């Protein structure tokens, strides 16, 4: 009986505390370094390296809000395209977008962000960013409504080359940027 109760409590706890992850998929042969910047009051996330044509999964703290950018090996450390995310935001949703505000000419950094459930989908409905810039699914101006929301807590971010046909998305799940900034 004790094992059954302990198993029930563990299962219930896992439902309450979702694991947040971002899987980085490098689409070219150049290694990338991903640098995270937490919003004020949130814990830091360690910088990672993703091998050329490689993949790396990072666990993100519960309720974390912040951004990240990638640098190609041998390049100066200058932010380009930003991936912005808020896990367990308003209404317990995950909010994310790809921001081209800092450097819209960055073609080697962050490309797209989408829930892992859409990894194999021919048409991604919850996606931010572009496989080839410029596109109309990235965040270019402070008042753009390009932030995407999802109930999922496992995201994929593509990096670097691999320009393919742009993905289409369902525009009904877009919200103002204040949600990814934690301003509900």
């Amino acid at each position: 009986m004790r094992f059954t109760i302990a198993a029930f409590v563990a299962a219930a706890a896992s439902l309450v505390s979702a694991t947040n992850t971002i899987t980085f998929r490098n689409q070219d042969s150049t290694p990338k370094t991903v640098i995270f910047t937490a919003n004020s009051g949130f814990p830091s996330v360690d910088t990672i390296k993703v091998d050329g044509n490689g993949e790396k999964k990072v666990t993100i703290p519960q309720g974390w809000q912040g951004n990240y950018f990638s640098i190609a090996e041998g390049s100066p450390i200058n932010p380009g395209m930003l991936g912005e995310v808020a896990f367990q935001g308003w209404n317990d949703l995950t909010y994310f977008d790809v921001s081209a505000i800092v450097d819209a000419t960055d073609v080697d950094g962050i490309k797209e962000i989408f829930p892992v459930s859409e990894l194999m989908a021919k048409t991604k409905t919850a996606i931010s960013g572009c496989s080839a810039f410029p596109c109309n699914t990235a965040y270019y101006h402070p008042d753009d409504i390009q932030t995407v929301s999802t109930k999922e807590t496992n995201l994929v971010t593509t990096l670097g080359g691999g320009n393919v046909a742009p993905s289409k998305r369902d525009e009904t799940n877009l919200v103002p940027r204040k949600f990814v900034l934690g301003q509900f």
Side-chain angles (χ1 to χ4, degrees):
M1 184 72 161
R2 286 184 194 173
F3 176 75
T4 305
I5 292 172
F8 174 76
V9 169
S14 71
L15 290 175
V16 172
S17 178
T19 299
N20 304 318
T21 65
I22 303 173
T23 300
F24 292 91
R25 301 186 90 194
N26 192 350
Q27 302 178 116
D28 62 37
S29 61
T30 304
K32 308 283 189 302
T33 298
V34 179
I35 300 168
F36 293 85
T37 304
N39 288 357
S40 180
F42 292 92
S44 63
V45 175
D46 292 339
T47 296
I48 63 162
K49 185 173 181 178
V50 184
D51 293 334
N53 297 309
E55 184 173 292
K56 188 142 198 182
K57 185 183 228 178
V58 177
T59 300
I60 305 295
Q62 185 76 7
W64 191 81
Q65 295 176 14
N67 65 55
Y68 50 89
F69 62 96
S70 76
I71 302 296
E73 185 174 76
S75 297
I77 300 176
N78 293 320
M81 295 291 180
L82 295 178
E84 300 178 308
V85 66
F87 286 101
Q88 289 79 42
W90 180 77
N91 213 15
D92 203 34
L93 295 173
T94 300
Y95 297 90
F96 61 92
D97 60 52
V98 173
S99 173
I101 291 175
V102 174
D103 182 0
T105 65
D106 175 16
V107 295
D108 294 318
I110 306 297
K111 292 287 195 152
E112 297 177 317
I113 304 173
F114 50 88
V116 74
S117 67
E118 297 200 10
L119 193 56
M120 301 307 286
K122 286 185 178 185
T123 301
K124 293 173 178 55
T125 59
I127 187 168
S128 183
C130 316
S131 56
F133 286 93
C135 67
N136 65 353
T137 53
Y139 196 92
Y140 293 95
H141 306 286
D143 59 350
D144 279 352
I145 297 184
Q146 291 292 348
T147 299
V148 181
S149 65
T150 181
K151 292 180 181 179
E152 296 185 46
T153 59
N154 300 300
L155 301 175
V156 173
T157 297
T158 59
L159 309 171
N163 285 345
V164 295
S167 299
K168 295 183 180 182
R169 69 172 175 196
D170 177 0
E171 302 287 323
T172 61
N173 61 355
L174 300 181
V175 294
R177 185 166 187 258
K178 68 180 184 177
F179 287 92
V180 81
L181 297 175
Q183 302 167 349
F184 319 112

